[in-house]
């Protein structure tokens, strides 16, 4: 499959990118973002632009992509709702609409968040905006899956971009094995997220819901060896 990736410089996007580059069934990856990845690979191509959602360039053959893995996002902490909505909702839909129009068979995997409110009525601003984003994506003419990964452990050398988060992950790393045992439905990894995104885009994938939580992600990350 050919994959277009948004948010490849973030922790989750970096984990997804790593799995795409390792997977033999992913033949090409186009990363779209504002800053370079700092990664070189034969099947990786980068497109650096100020507006990642602008897919109007004539050299972009949007119909050639089989999957879009959308990992771009920001924290709502300290943001006004209109600014958070512009990045979280408007930018996402601006990228998704032309992709759906170009290829209705595309699989669109969106990194949302645990606690997202599908009713759009939550008192929490970010949960309302994420809920609206999910609902609008699910109305577009492609196969859309909302990934709500909960607590994510960075593995395989995938770092967080934020110094504070890196410190927090370092301190809490010894707790993740315990959490996976006592609360397996709350925890996943960057590796599992990447594998699950690839697997939902495969023909005949055993996907039972459009909204995927940690237990769904962990199940989908496990595929028979002959499918890898």
């Amino acid at each position: 499959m050919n994959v277009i990736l948004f948010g490849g410089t973030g922790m989750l996007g970096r984990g997804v990118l790593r799995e795409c580059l390792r997977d033999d069934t992913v033949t090409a990856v186009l990363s779209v973002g504002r800053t370079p990845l700092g990664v070189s690979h034969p099947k990786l191509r980068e497109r650096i632009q100020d507006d990642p959602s602008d897919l109007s360039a004539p050299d972009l053959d949007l119909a050639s992509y089989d999957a879009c893995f959308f990992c771009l996002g920001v924290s709502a902490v300290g943001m006004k709702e209109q600014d958070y909505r512009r990045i979280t909702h408007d930018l996402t839909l601006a990228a998704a609409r032309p992709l759906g129009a170009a290829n209705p068979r595309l699989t669109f995997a969106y990194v949302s968040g645990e606690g997202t409110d599908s009713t759009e009525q939550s008192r929490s601003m970010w949960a309302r905006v994420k809920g609206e984003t999910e609902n609008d994506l699910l109305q577009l003419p492609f196969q859309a899956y909302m990934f709500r990964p909960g607590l994510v452990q960075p593995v395989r050398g995938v770092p967080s971009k934020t110094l504070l988060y890196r410190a927090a992950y370092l301190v809490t790393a010894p707790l993740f094995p315990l959490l996976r045992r006592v609360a397996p439905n709350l925890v996943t990894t960057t590796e599992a997220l990447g594998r699950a995104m690839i697997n939902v885009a495969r023909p005949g994938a055993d996907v039972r819901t459009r909204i995927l939580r940690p237990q769904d992600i962990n199940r989908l990350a496990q595929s028979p060896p002959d499918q890898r």
Side-chain angles (χ1 to χ4, degrees):
M1 68 181 79
N2 292 331
V3 171
I4 183 168
L5 171 68
F6 292 84
T9 59
M11 184 186 82
L12 300 185
R14 184 72 71 170
V16 173
L17 174 64
R18 178 183 183 274
E19 296 310 310
C20 286
L21 297 181
R22 292 178 64 243
D23 194 298
D24 291 340
T25 66
V26 176
T27 52
V29 180
L30 172 65
S31 171
V32 181
R34 296 187 180 95
T35 56
L37 296 172
V39 175
S40 178
H41 193 278
K43 63 183 178 183
L44 174 64
R45 183 164 64 95
E46 292 190 67
R47 191 174 190 91
I48 311 301
Q49 54 191 52
D50 291 336
D51 180 4
S53 69
D54 182 5
L55 302 179
S56 62
D59 63 319
L60 277 175
D61 181 11
L62 299 184
S64 69
Y65 292 97
D66 306 292
C68 174
F69 300 153
F70 202 95
C71 307
L72 183 64
V74 294
S75 169
V77 176
M79 294 190 73
K80 295 181 179 178
E81 181 165 351
Q82 62 182 16
D83 295 328
Y84 182 73
R85 189 181 190 282
R86 176 176 52 81
I87 297 173
T88 301
H89 176 274
D90 298 350
L91 187 150
T92 303
L93 269 294
R97 288 186 180 111
L99 284 167
N103 182 9
R105 296 183 300 277
L106 178 110
T107 297
F108 193 97
Y110 174 67
V111 174
S112 185
E114 189 60 61
T116 293
D117 178 26
S118 297
T119 71
E120 305 178 31
Q121 301 299 312
S122 174
R123 297 179 65 180
S124 174
M125 177 271 286
W126 78 265
R128 288 196 312 273
V129 175
K130 283 281 192 181
E132 181 184 1
T133 305
E134 286 189 354
N135 291 337
D136 287 349
L137 287 172
L138 289 167
Q139 295 301 312
L140 292 178
F142 47 41
Q143 287 291 108
Y145 297 98
M146 308 297 110
F147 281 70
R148 300 183 183 179
L151 185 60
V152 182
Q153 179 184 12
V155 295
R156 311 297 184 192
V158 173
S160 169
K161 287 179 63 177
T162 307
L163 181 61
L164 180 61
Y165 286 176
R166 286 203 300 270
Y169 283 122
L170 183 63
V171 171
T172 59
L175 299 177
F176 276 100
L178 175 62
L179 285 172
R180 284 197 296 269
R181 286 198 299 271
V182 301
N185 292 340
L186 300 179
V187 183
T188 189
T189 68
T190 51
E191 181 179 28
L193 179 67
R195 291 239 47 86
M197 282 195 174
I198 294 169
N199 288 339
V200 298
R202 298 184 194 277
D206 180 20
V207 188
R208 303 165 189 173
T209 176
R210 292 293 189 92
I211 297 178
L212 306 171
R213 293 185 165 87
Q215 63 268 37
D216 305 303
I217 294 169
N218 293 335
R219 179 184 65 83
L220 285 164
Q222 305 301 317
S223 63
D226 62 350
Q227 292 185 11
R228 292 196 175 185

